[in-house]
Amino acid sequence: MNSDVKNFRNRNPFENINWNRSHRVMGCTHLHCTGDAELQGLFDDGLEFVTLSNYHPSAPWYPLREIKTDQFRVSQQGFIKNGKYFDEKISWQDVLPDEIREQLPSEAGKALFSHIPENILEAPNAEHSNFSDTTPQLHITAPGTTFTSGHFDDRADKCGLIGRGFAAGCDLPWREAFKRILDTLVIPDGGGIIINHPAWSYLRPDFICEMLDFSPEVLGLEVYNGTSRKTYADFSDPLWDAVLATGRQCYGFCAVDHLKNGAWNGRSVILTPDRSVEGCLRALRQGHFYGVIRGSGAAFEEISFSGNRLYARCNREMFFQLISKVGIAAYSSGKEFVFEFDESEREKHLFLRLTAHEFPAREKLFAQPVMLV
């Protein structure tokens, strides 16, 4: 691994965060939501930065006020046909035979979402999968990008689009797809690609490293994915630690994926000096956020790292656990956590990442790693 790759991402995400003045914005980088009542429930539960990651098609539901019923059954901007990407609008009425066209709407309906609060921030996003040269279980989200893949019928194929060359998902080699996705970033220094549910996807650490090495705009992986709980693949800590042990910085995200009975388990608390879309996207790029599972109110009030000392403080009594290359490097209970190490131990630890666990509220916080070498 050359030094350029090693320094791709922010090695000390706690540097340059003013914890007293930063806005804390609640978001989720991997969230499927296609119903009005469901979205209103998320607003009530604290969602502030909306980056919906819907698929079929994998297209940005953005801006929310302009999304209409049946919109993507009528047309979409950008598509893949016979393994080639076309950055143009396609009308499905122009593609399908008469007997199928009659089953589809000729125009979009009314606005899907009834009320979007004025203070809500939003950015484009989508979940992409089914790349042509790797496992179909590789899924990614890309907050802050406008790329579209797949189509409305790519799961059931009731209209025969797959047989007409419109393959299911993102039918491109993953490197080409990543480049095209990142070329659509709405701001150059914010947002990027996140590797979804790596434990559920059975991804190898070396392949995760290969994707991280592709670009600094590949930000990291989901350390927690709420939907994967049903297959006991919700936590990806071992994969995260294996990647960090190579010396690569890799941010860890908590995401819900699909909501179940309205439960939003898997969130990001984004720390930004200005409460804006651009501020949130830049914070994601810099690792200025931490993950939470339930959103119970437990929070990091401060995390700092300088030289050989890591300090953290929470607003409640927590059980802290510090992980490094050697495994569990330290643990303690209380509102504050301090870890100091000798300079001779820097390479032994290689990285430090902190979690804070609250009992009995079943809450857990995930800080971003600090790379020591």
Side-chain angles (χ1 to χ4, degrees), residues 41-66:
L42 287 164
F43 291 150
D44 293 341
D45 201 12
L47 181 62
E48 300 173 84
F49 182 43
V50 185
T51 53
L52 297 186
S53 56
N54 292 330
Y55 42 30
H56 314 311
S58 298
W61 284 47
Y62 167 86
L64 293 171
R65 290 178 177 83
E66 296 182 11

Side-chain angles (χ1 to χ4, degrees), residues 152-163:
F152 74 92
D153 200 37
D154 67 4
R155 173 169 284 182
D157 198 32
K158 292 181 179 179
C159 297
L161 285 173
I162 292 177

Side-chain angles (χ1 to χ4, degrees), residues 220-235:
L221 55 76
E222 289 177 354
V223 65
Y224 176 80
N225 178 283
T227 300
S228 299
R229 174 60 185 166
K230 59 186 177 184
T231 55
Y232 308 108
D234 42 347
F235 290 97

Side-chain angles (χ1 to χ4, degrees), residues 67-70 108-113:
I67 299 299
K68 298 179 179 179
T69 57
D70 289 325
K110 63 180 182 179
L112 181 59
F113 300 115

Side-chain angles (χ1 to χ4, degrees), residues 18-58:
N18 187 324
W19 288 83
N20 293 323
R21 295 188 177 183
S22 289
H23 296 270
R24 295 164 180 262
V25 182
M26 188 72 75
C28 185
T29 54
H30 185 184
L31 171 60
H32 298 275
C33 176
T34 59
D36 186 31
E38 197 171 50
L39 184 62
Q40 300 307 320
L42 287 164
F43 291 150
D44 293 341
D45 201 12
L47 181 62
E48 300 173 84
F49 182 43
V50 185
T51 53
L52 297 186
S53 56
N54 292 330
Y55 42 30
H56 314 311
S58 298

